[in-house]
Amino acid sequence: MINDIIQNVTEFFTEYGTWGLFLLSFIESSFFPIPPDILLIAMSLAAPHLALWYAFVTTVASVLGGMFGYVIGAKAGRPLLQRWVSPQQIDKIDCLYQRYGGWAVAIAGFTPIPYKLFTISAGVCGINKTVFIIASILSRGARFFLEGTIIFILGAKAKYLLENYFEVITLGIAVLVVLCCWCYKNKGKGFSRNLWGSGK
């Protein structure tokens, strides 16, 4: 049932080509449940020479959609988040923001928690807007360009790698991001507090 829904949605957006990919990437970052990776990979496998272009489109649209999600969170507040998200997930997101500040948005791109929950909660928590945008570009760009680059280099052979090992690859990148965040915060705590703090 779920697979059928995903397939139907993917086919719908595929009909609109690059604009369909842009729209799906935008709405997924703010309220839509189906990730753009599915369409990005499908379109890239069909035309590997355009994989990096599709990754760029997906990244830009996802960041813009994330900014829209931020506005939703800032305007609607925590009650909206509590209506959509389980208390357990809210606790996980709050914990990441308390520990990493704005870096949590960068880490979010490689976690199983839907990205839109981070974009909305960033608005709720009042994360610095500049930090939010930079972190979104880093995390979304890293994820989508990783997919695009693999397909650009390997072509059709990338399908097996993405289907079987992509989660392992993204987990490894997530660990590296966390280590970088930790090193950065401990190297220059004063500067980090000003740049990556939660103030608007």
Side-chain angles (χ1 to χ4, degrees):
M1 179 65 178
I2 296 178
N3 290 335
D4 290 339
I5 294 175
I6 293 176
Q7 183 176 350
N8 290 335
V9 170
T10 302
E11 290 176 354
F12 172 80
F13 283 102
T14 300
E15 292 182 5
Y16 298 93
T18 302
W19 284 110
L21 178 61
F22 184 96
L23 179 58
L24 177 60
S25 303
F26 180 92
I27 61 178
E28 185 273 338
S29 291
S30 49
F31 61 86
F32 200 66
I34 298 177
D37 304 71
I38 299 172
L39 186 56
L40 168 61
I41 292 173
M43 291 177 64
S44 296
L45 286 172
H49 64 288
L50 294 175
L52 296 180
W53 164 247
Y54 290 145
F56 174 77
V57 171
T58 307
T59 300
V60 171
S62 184
V63 172
L64 293 175
M67 294 168 63
F68 181 61
Y70 184 102
V71 172
I72 292 175
K75 298 296 183 181
R78 186 167 288 269
L80 176 64
L81 195 63
Q82 292 173 335
R83 182 180 300 179
W84 286 1
V85 187
S86 68
Q88 292 80 8
Q89 285 186 319
I90 292 177
D91 289 342
K92 290 180 181 178
I93 295 171
D94 285 341
C95 181
L96 284 172
Y97 278 133
Q98 290 172 11
R99 173 174 275 187
Y100 302 109
W103 279 107
V105 180
I107 298 170
F110 300 97
T111 67
I113 303 175
Y115 190 65
K116 58 183 167 292
L117 302 185
F118 279 90
T119 65
I120 295 173
S121 61
V124 172
C125 297
I127 294 297
N128 183 284
K129 295 182 181 68
T130 301
V131 172
F132 173 78
I133 294 172
I134 294 173
S136 295
I137 293 172
L138 291 175
S139 64
R140 299 278 83 183
R143 182 181 183 91
F144 299 136
F145 272 96
L146 174 62
E147 296 170 345
T149 300
I150 290 174
I151 296 174
F152 181 79
I153 295 174
L154 299 180
K157 297 178 181 178
K159 183 177 181 180
Y160 175 82
L161 180 63
L162 292 172
E163 287 180 347
N164 293 277
Y165 298 104
F166 185 71
E167 292 302 323
V168 176
I169 295 172
T170 54
L171 179 61
I173 293 177
V175 172
L176 289 177
V177 170
V178 172
L179 287 175
C180 289
C181 294
W182 183 85
C183 291
Y184 181 82
K185 291 185 69 174
N186 284 275
K187 182 178 180 180
K189 291 184 178 179
F191 177 74
S192 176
R193 189 178 300 112
N194 292 330
L195 180 60
W196 298 102
S198 61
K200 293 183 180 180

